[in-house]
């Protein structure tokens, strides 16, 4: 289901006051109030944006917002710093540029879906059939605003790490391609319901959506009773050796074929200024780029550059301060918008993230993600992390093997964060055993040793 914001939509005086609230999924029609104004989240109706479309969005964001764009952990585009007066203007600018923005149920496919020859199955066509079925359903389905469906055909950049209410993962089992239907989780944690042939996929998902709509507007997949659902599914026996896809790294060069390479570029801690993005896109156009696809991990995938020029594009991204290499330490930090951008945040998360990069490189070997949260909600990474730094009354709290909502294992005074991180880096560097990762080292040492290291006098 897609829409192109019409002139009538763009000419409304202001978004409805009831739409400017937290807890909903922010869009052009329902912006969300944050610490730096209203926020709008955009999903392209097609797999990606043409280069000129993203330039137009960047220009509109600069005119209507505060000049900051974000790509979320799920790969959605966010425009910050809007007002009730500028949201309609933003809608008009997007409509005038002819850009189709998806609305309604979030149906997500991998960023290289339809391009990657290593895909197991075609996720794009399944997703399109599901969108058509949802749009045609009568009466219309009233679903939870944040309900999401992942349709993952596999390939180099799968969505195994993305949490979804409903997830369909293509697997090869007993010599055939099946779709594994699972609920409420990532590729590793979701509850497996059935293995289906492709013709059964859309009817099965529609059955689940109808059940959720019947439960109520706020119903999520966790509210579905597995046993009752399994009895309705014409499932096929699944080879237990069918793999569960792991989380890939978007940053770097992805070779899809001899004459086709894609450059993955991550935003530093999820944000970029519109002026910097426009400059980067203009330089990419000179190198032949034609399309941008958004990707999980706060990243964008650059299509259309000839293999002989892909290295130059990677160097260009690095020159713009972007994450363009798989081993960039910033790939292993999850930071929320932080103080000044979010009303709930109490710390400057991006400043802390840069301090981690500068002072604790031993932590950023890729074995763990350091989560930096401005409050206990943990929006950047709701699940547990090996290390989480969050706001605390005296400055910072350090949570070991837990989410931001957990009670801190240690407390760090505001002026001591750099020193504490240096001590933690020294602890890992000196206590790692041969071939041991940072995660394994911290797990072996335990919370008590970690606490003592960061709080020593």
């Amino acid at each position: 289901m897609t829409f192109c914001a019409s002139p009538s939509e763009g000419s409304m005086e202001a978004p409805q006051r009831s739409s400017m609230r937290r807890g909903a999924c922010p869009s052009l029609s329902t912006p969300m109030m944050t610490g730096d104004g209203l926020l709008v989240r955009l999903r392209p109706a097609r797999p990606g944006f043409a280069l000129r479309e993203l330039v137009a969005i960047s220009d509109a964001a600069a005119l209507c917002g505060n000049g900051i764009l974000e790509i979320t952990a799920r790969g959605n585009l966010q425009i910050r710093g809007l007002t009730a007066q500028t949201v309609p203007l933003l809608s008009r600018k997007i409509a005038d540029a002819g850009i189709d923005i998806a609305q309604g149920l979030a149906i997500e496919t991998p960023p290289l879906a339809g391009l990657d020859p290593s895909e197991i199955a075609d996720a794009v066509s399944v997703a399109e059939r599901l969108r058509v079925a949802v749009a045609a359903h009568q009466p219309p389905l009233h679903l939870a605003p944040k309900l999401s469906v992942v349709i993952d055909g596999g390939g180099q950049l799968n969505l195994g790490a993305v949490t979804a209410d409903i997830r369909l993962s293509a697997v090869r089992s007993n010599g055939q391609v099946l779709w594994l239907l699972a609920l409420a989780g990532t590729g590793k944690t979701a509850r497996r319901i059935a293995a289906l042939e492709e013709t059964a996929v859309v009817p099965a998902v529609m059955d689940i959506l109808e059940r959720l709509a019947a439960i109520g507007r706020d119903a999520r997949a966790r509210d579905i009773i597995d046993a009752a659902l399994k009895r309705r599914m014409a499932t096929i026996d699944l080879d237990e050796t069918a793999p569960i896809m792991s989380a890939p790294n978007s940053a770097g060069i992805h070779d899809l074929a001899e004459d086709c390479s894609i450059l993955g570029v991550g935003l530093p801690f999820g944000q970029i200024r519109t002026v910097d993005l426009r400059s980067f896109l203009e330089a990419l156009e000179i190198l032949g780029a034609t399309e941008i696809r958004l990707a999980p991990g706060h990243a964008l995938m650059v299509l259309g550059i000839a293999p002989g020029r892909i290295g130059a594009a990677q160097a260009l991204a690095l020159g713009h301060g972007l994450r363009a290499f798989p081993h960039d330490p910033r790939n292993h930090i999850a930071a929320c918008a932080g103080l000044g951008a979010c009303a709930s945040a109490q710390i400057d998360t991006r400043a802390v993230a840069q301090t981690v990069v500068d002072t604790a490189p031993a932590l950023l070997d890729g074995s763990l993600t350091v989560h930096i949260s401005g409050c206990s909600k943990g929006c950047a990474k709701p699940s547990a992390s090996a290390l989480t730094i969050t706001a605390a009354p005296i400055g910072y709290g350090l949570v070991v093997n837990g989410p931001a909502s957990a009670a801190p294992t240690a407390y760090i005074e505001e002026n001591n964060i750099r020193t504490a991180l240096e001590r933690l880096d020294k602890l890992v560097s000196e206590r790692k055993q041969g071939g041991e990762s940072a995660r394994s080292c911290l797990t072996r040492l335990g919370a008590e040793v970690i606490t003592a290291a960061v709080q020593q006098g």
Side-chain angles (χ1 to χ4, degrees):
M1 185 189 310
T2 65
F3 84 106
C4 182
S6 66
S8 61
E9 288 171 326
S11 61
M12 60 184 177
E13 292 185 2
Q16 296 179 8
R17 184 174 299 276
S18 61
S19 70
M20 300 182 204
R21 62 179 178 83
R22 291 190 167 274
C25 193
S27 65
L28 282 170
S29 59
T30 57
M32 183 177 75
M33 181 59 72
T34 66
D36 58 353
L38 293 174
L39 178 146
V40 162
R41 185 176 300 156
L42 306 177
R43 290 182 287 115
R46 301 186 306 277
F49 291 112
L51 206 67
R52 63 165 183 81
E53 292 178 330
L54 196 52
V55 169
I57 290 174
S58 181
D59 290 346
L63 177 66
C64 302
N66 63 5
I68 294 176
L69 286 175
E70 294 178 333
I71 298 177
T72 69
R74 299 184 72 92
N76 293 317
L77 186 66
Q78 292 189 161
I79 299 174
R80 304 196 69 94
L82 300 163
T83 68
Q85 290 71 40
T86 61
V87 169
L89 176 59
L90 175 68
S91 181
R92 260 199 317 274
K93 291 288 184 181
I94 290 175
D96 291 345
I99 302 170
D100 287 342
I101 301 299
Q103 69 171 356
L105 177 65
I107 302 174
E108 302 171 291
T109 57
L112 300 182
L115 301 173
D116 190 345
S118 66
E119 285 180 310
I120 298 172
D122 182 3
V124 174
S125 64
V126 175
E128 185 55 35
R129 292 199 297 274
L130 179 59
R131 289 188 183 98
V132 170
V134 171
H137 192 276
Q138 292 297 330
L141 294 169
H142 297 291
L143 302 167
K146 292 189 176 182
L147 192 77
S148 64
V149 179
V150 158
I151 303 178
D152 194 340
Q156 293 186 30
L157 293 181
N158 62 72
L159 299 181
V162 175
T163 300
D165 288 270
I166 304 168
R167 62 182 311 115
L168 291 154
S169 304
V171 294
R172 289 190 178 93
S173 180
N174 297 318
Q176 64 179 136
V177 173
L178 300 174
W179 288 91
L180 176 62
L181 172 64
L183 299 180
T186 66
K188 292 182 179 180
T189 64
R191 310 186 318 258
R192 292 188 175 195
I193 301 298
L196 307 170
E197 292 184 330
E198 187 167 309
T199 55
V201 165
V202 171
V205 175
M206 292 302 297
D207 180 42
I208 295 171
L209 295 177
E210 289 169 354
R211 285 168 173 264
L212 290 171
I215 293 172
R217 173 72 178 182
D218 296 324
R220 304 293 294 272
R222 58 179 174 265
D223 302 315
I224 293 284
I225 299 174
D226 292 2
L229 188 60
K230 288 178 179 179
R231 286 195 294 269
R232 294 173 59 90
M233 298 288 176
T235 187
I236 297 173
D237 289 338
L238 181 67
D239 180 358
E240 288 302 321
T241 63
I244 296 176
M245 295 175 288
S246 59
N249 189 344
S250 299
I253 296 173
H254 304 270
D255 295 317
L256 303 186
E258 186 175 346
D259 59 346
C260 181
S261 295
I262 307 295
L263 176 62
V265 174
L267 304 191
F269 314 129
Q271 284 190 351
I272 190 170
R273 297 200 65 81
T274 53
V275 63
D276 296 328
L277 178 60
R278 195 183 209 288
S279 172
F280 179 55
L281 293 174
E282 288 173 343
L284 286 178
E285 186 174 25
I286 294 172
L287 292 175
T290 57
E291 182 182 341
I292 300 292
R293 294 193 178 187
L294 308 182
H298 314 282
L300 51 86
M301 314 304 295
V302 184
L303 281 62
I305 299 177
R309 291 184 165 188
I310 201 79
Q314 191 174 35
L316 178 71
L318 188 63
H320 279 76
L322 302 172
R323 298 182 286 113
F325 292 85
H327 300 299
D328 190 316
R330 295 172 297 174
N331 293 336
H332 313 301
I333 295 178
C336 66
L339 188 67
C342 175
S344 300
Q346 301 172 51
I347 60 174
D348 186 341
T349 54
R350 281 166 174 76
V352 175
Q354 189 58 53
T355 302
V356 174
V357 173
D358 295 339
T359 63
L363 300 177
L364 305 176
D365 63 355
S367 64
L368 59 89
T369 297
V370 178
H371 178 199
I372 303 169
S373 182
C375 70
S376 61
K377 291 190 296 183
C379 297
K381 193 176 185 296
S383 59
S385 287
L387 287 173
T388 297
I389 300 171
T390 187
I394 67 168
Y396 306 94
L398 180 67
V399 180
V400 178
N401 292 322
S405 58
T409 307
Y411 290 93
I412 305 166
E413 292 184 5
E414 185 174 358
N415 296 330
N416 290 342
I417 184 64
R418 177 175 289 271
T419 302
L421 288 169
E422 288 172 346
R423 290 169 179 162
L424 191 53
D425 182 77
K426 182 179 179 181
L427 175 71
V428 172
S429 299
E430 293 181 348
R431 302 286 291 273
K432 272 203 307 185
Q433 298 176 352
E436 195 173 35
S437 69
R439 174 185 284 275
S440 296
C441 178
L442 292 172
T443 300
R444 176 173 55 80
L445 294 176
E448 187 174 335
V449 173
I450 296 169
T451 299
V454 299
Q455 292 186 331
Q456 63 181 317

